[in-house]
Amino acid sequence: ITRARRRTQDLIGRISMIGFQDHKQRTRSFRKGDLERVLQIYRQNFDGGMEKMIEGYSSLFDDIFYIIEGPSKQVIGYCVCYMRLDLQGLRAHRVASIYSIAVDPAFQGQGLGNALLEDCIQDLRKNNVQRIRLYADVNNKPAVNLYLKHGFKITGTKENICGQGKTCNVMDLNLK
């Protein structure tokens, strides 16, 4: 996909979110001051290299960029999504993609990833999003199992989307 096409899709996705309402319970929306900490958590959990995408989505899709805080209000986890329109005949449906979800390693195992995912699903469902898609490394069994537990179905595999030389499950959750 070309950079210009991605930008166009992002802008159309952003426009499709006009009137989006906040239904978050345990999380909050991204704020500009969160970026440095989010990128730190991202690098702690992944190989890095996609910081510019996260930064771009933070400004375009801040309503669907979920932040979870620790006891002292520090950012300890995030879930960043972006929106696309899926044309089916004469109808356009909103489809959200979870781009990245991660929790600070010091706070893992406390159900925070589960809380992020639950708030994300609830918020998107209440805002009439048709489907959520994500890509999960086939070797990341805890993540794949978390998504399956929440009703995601494996709909295929894709090479090199989660990193060079990696195979990822394409996972979808129909909300309608």
Side-chain angles (χ1 to χ4, degrees):
I1 188 168
T2 66
R3 187 174 296 174
R5 184 172 175 206
R6 182 180 305 265
R7 268 194 215 123
T8 301
Q9 288 176 337
D10 286 344
L11 290 174
I12 292 169
R14 177 63 194 152
I15 291 167
S16 79
M17 292 180 59
I18 292 173
F20 211 80
Q21 296 179 359
D22 187 352
H23 298 282
K24 298 170 189 69
Q25 292 183 348
R26 293 174 281 182
T27 63
R28 64 166 172 81
S29 294
F30 176 87
R31 297 181 199 131
K32 288 186 191 276
D34 298 332
L35 185 59
E36 185 177 322
R37 180 69 177 125
V38 165
L39 293 177
Q40 182 182 27
I41 294 168
Y42 166 72
R43 287 184 205 104
Q44 289 172 325
N45 284 277
F46 303 104
D47 295 336
M50 300 309 289
E51 290 87 349
K52 288 289 185 198
M53 291 296 290
I54 292 173
E55 185 175 354
Y57 290 151
S58 74
S59 61
L60 272 177
F61 300 108
D62 56 340
D63 291 331
I64 55 174
F65 195 136
Y66 304 84
I67 296 294
I68 197 159
E69 297 177 324
S72 62
K73 299 294 182 195
Q74 82 274 28
V75 174
I76 58 172
Y78 71 87
C79 176
V80 59
C81 301
Y82 61 90
M83 192 73 67
R84 295 286 188 260
L85 287 181
D86 181 23
L87 298 176
Q88 296 175 354
L90 297 176
R91 294 192 53 140
H93 299 283
R94 290 190 290 188
V95 176
S97 292
I98 296 176
Y99 184 74
S100 181
I101 183 171
V103 173
D104 182 315
F107 294 92
Q108 289 177 356
Q110 299 177 25
L112 299 174
N114 191 60
L116 282 160
L117 190 58
E118 284 176 358
D119 261 24
C120 172
I121 292 168
Q122 173 182 286
D123 197 39
L124 295 172
R125 180 177 278 126
K126 288 185 176 181
N127 279 288
N128 298 313
V129 172
Q130 186 82 20
R131 178 172 36 104
I132 304 172
R133 169 164 283 179
L134 60 83
Y135 301 92
D137 186 329
V138 296
N139 296 315
N140 188 346
K141 299 297 182 199
V144 171
N145 289 334
L146 174 67
Y147 304 136
L148 291 171
K149 177 179 127 185
H150 283 278
F152 282 84
K153 306 281 187 235
I154 297 172
T155 57
T157 58
K158 197 158 187 161
E159 300 296 323
N160 301 319
I161 198 163
C162 298
Q164 197 61 32
K166 293 184 179 181
T167 302
C168 287
N169 289 317
V170 179
M171 301 183 77
D172 290 314
L173 175 64
N174 290 318
L175 300 178
K176 299 289 176 187

